[in-house]
């Protein structure tokens, strides 16, 4: 009589199988994220793309989004500052296009700052655009355009934005302009110092909403989120967005 010996799997081995699958999935996800960042690398944040590039970018986006499908957005993880790496949104691309054509206009970094820590149903999001006018303002970060909106969670992945205010602040004038206002070789008078202080502290605010009317709003689909990457789609054909985590910005 022949005895058939069956392999014995220990409890440790059985527990290791899902752990290995988890590691494999995590490695695959990191590869997909790397591929997405690679295909958008030479697009100047979306300004310069061909039809083939846009197709490859969409394919890479969908590949990353598939890993997070169906999961509810964690507002604690969403909270913080995100740097724009790529977009197809026309209202953002027009800024990049203007900067590429106009020698007197520069657009620096673009951020989204979510303020929703310890919240469950929404918070505040601020769109931050660093821009400059060469020779008058500091390079790339001469001034800050700030578009603020309240947002509410309307489903596991969708948030509704209600735009509240547009502000212009943090004006950093160039050394050349400072020299014209208050020459370094002469004692700076009280008036010239007051002018410099006024410019630095200047802030202009413009409400988006009209009295008695609802503010401008829009639906935003957060298609992927982890500690280091945020993907979004403006519902209604408003474009896609690729963000990566950035250092906190004090406004």
């Amino acid at each position: 009589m022949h005895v058939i010996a069956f392999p014995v799997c220990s409890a440790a081995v059985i527990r290791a199988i899902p752990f290995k699958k988890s590691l494999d999935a995590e490695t695959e996800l990191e590869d997909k994220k790397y591929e997405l960042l690679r295909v958008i690398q030479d697009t100047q944040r979306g300004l310069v793309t061909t039809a083939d590039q846009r197709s490859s970018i969409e394919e890479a986006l969908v590949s990353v989004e598939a890993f997070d499908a169906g999961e509810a957005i964690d507002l604690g993880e969403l909270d913080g500052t995100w740097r724009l790496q790529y977009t197809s949104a026309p209202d953002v691309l027009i800024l990049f296009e203007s900067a590429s054509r106009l020698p007197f206009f520069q657009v620096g970094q673009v951020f989204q700052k979510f303020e929703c820590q310890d919240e469950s149903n929404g918070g505040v999001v601020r769109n931050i655009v660093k821009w400059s006018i060469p020779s008058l303002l500091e390079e790339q970060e001469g001034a800050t355009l700030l578009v603020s909106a309240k947002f509410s969670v309307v489903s596991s992945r969708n948030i509704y934005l209600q735009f509240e205010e547009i502000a212009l602040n943090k004006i950093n004038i160039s050394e050349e302009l400072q020299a014209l206002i208050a020459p370094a070789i002469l004692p700076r008078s009280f008036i010239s110092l007051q002018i410099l202080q006024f410019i630095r502290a200047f802030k202009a605010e413009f409400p988006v909403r009209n009295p008695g009317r609802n503010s401008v709003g829009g639906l935003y689909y957060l298609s992927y989120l982890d500690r280091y990457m945020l993907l979004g789609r403006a519902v209604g054909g408003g474009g896609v967005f690729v963000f990566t985590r950035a250092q906190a910005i004090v406004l």
Side-chain angles (χ1 to χ4, degrees), residues 135-174:
S135 299
L136 295 181
L137 304 177
E138 287 186 1
E139 290 285 323
Q140 301 296 326
E141 296 192 0
T144 299
L145 178 67
L146 190 65
V147 182
S148 301
K150 291 181 179 179
F151 75 89
S152 55
V153 178
V154 296
S155 70
S156 62
R157 283 281 165 176
N158 286 299
I159 61 175
Y160 185 76
L161 306 179
Q162 288 185 303
F163 293 98
E164 299 282 319
E165 181 183 81
I166 298 174
L168 176 64
N169 64 0
K170 290 188 177 296
I171 297 177
N172 302 307
I173 62 176
S174 65

Side-chain angles (χ1 to χ4, degrees), residues 33 36-37 64 82 224-231 243:
K33 289 163 59 178
L36 173 57
L37 294 176
V64 175
W82 300 88
Y224 179 83
L225 171 68
D226 65 18
R227 290 180 59 191
Y228 305 107
M229 179 175 281
L230 170 64
L231 307 181
F243 292 94

